[in-house]
Amino acid sequence: MFFTFKIFKKKPRVYTKIESHIYGIITELLKVSSTDINVDELGGKYYLSNEEQHFKVTILSNDYVIRLTNTHDSVAEKYDKVFVEDVLKAVKEEKHRRMEVVYDSITNSIEKMAERLHNRLIESNEQDKSVRRLETKEVKSSKKAN
């Protein structure tokens, strides 16, 4: 007997036209380095702000509400849970990526400072040794003179 098993694949989520448009706006904002990302994890609020483009996004994860604000309008709508979770996933991934970039930059700076300090200590030790050699030579030569 042959048994066939259906492999349950999660179908890719198909967004409505408005959801696709909003997702596109948010992902484009995330690509721009001048977009600030602020998070209030406890309150379930996520904020994107791009002052250059006068555009802000507020995501209220507990209520599944997304508010888009520009200089002329502000629109807040409640969306499907899965859609908001997908948007939040993109925001969190970008926030994490930016934090890694900052972390790598700080780590790199610390490593360079440590290397410079190490080299400076080596130079200082070499200078101390040469000064000691000079001092011992002077002491020996002054003893011979007496």
Side-chain angles (χ1 to χ4, degrees):
M1 285 193 154
F2 292 102
F3 293 100
T4 57
F5 294 100
K6 285 188 177 181
I7 299 176
F8 293 102
K9 287 187 180 180
K10 187 176 179 182
K11 292 182 182 180
R13 171 81 163 104
V14 178
Y15 300 134
T16 66
K17 193 173 185 178
I18 291 172
E19 289 172 339
S20 294
H21 185 67
I22 289 171
Y23 190 82
I25 289 170
I26 291 171
T27 54
E28 287 302 312
L29 272 175
L30 291 171
K31 290 177 187 176
V32 179
S33 63
S34 60
T35 300
D36 294 326
I37 303 171
N38 295 302
V39 177
D40 172 10
E41 289 276 347
L42 292 175
K45 297 175 185 173
Y46 299 78
Y47 306 96
L48 305 177
S49 175
N50 189 309
E51 296 300 323
E52 293 173 0
Q53 297 177 1
H54 308 288
F55 203 85
K56 295 179 182 178
V57 177
T58 304
I59 304 165
L60 307 172
S61 64
N62 298 337
D63 299 326
Y64 309 113
V65 172
I66 298 176
R67 176 184 300 276
L68 304 172
T69 306
N70 64 17
T71 53
H72 303 291
D73 297 309
S74 181
V75 178
E77 292 287 331
K78 186 170 184 151
Y79 292 95
D80 180 67
K81 176 183 176 180
V82 175
F83 171 70
V84 174
E85 287 173 353
D86 287 349
V87 169
L88 287 176
K89 181 179 176 188
V91 171
K92 290 175 184 179
E93 284 175 358
E94 179 59 18
K95 178 81 172 166
H96 182 72
R97 188 195 68 76
R98 289 182 183 189
M99 288 173 60
E100 281 184 350
V101 168
V102 169
Y103 174 80
D104 289 346
S105 174
I106 291 169
T107 302
N108 192 17
S109 295
I110 290 170
E111 287 173 354
K112 285 180 181 178
M113 287 187 333
E115 185 178 339
R116 286 195 301 269
L117 179 61
H118 177 74
N119 291 338
R120 191 78 178 118
L121 288 171
I122 289 172
E123 289 172 12
S124 179
N125 278 342
E126 288 173 358
Q127 288 174 351
D128 286 349
K129 286 178 184 177
S130 62
V131 168
R132 285 188 195 131
R133 280 189 215 125
L134 287 174
E135 287 174 356
T136 56
K137 286 180 183 177
E138 286 177 14
V139 170
K140 287 179 184 177
S141 59
S142 62
K143 283 184 181 179
K144 289 179 184 177
N146 290 335

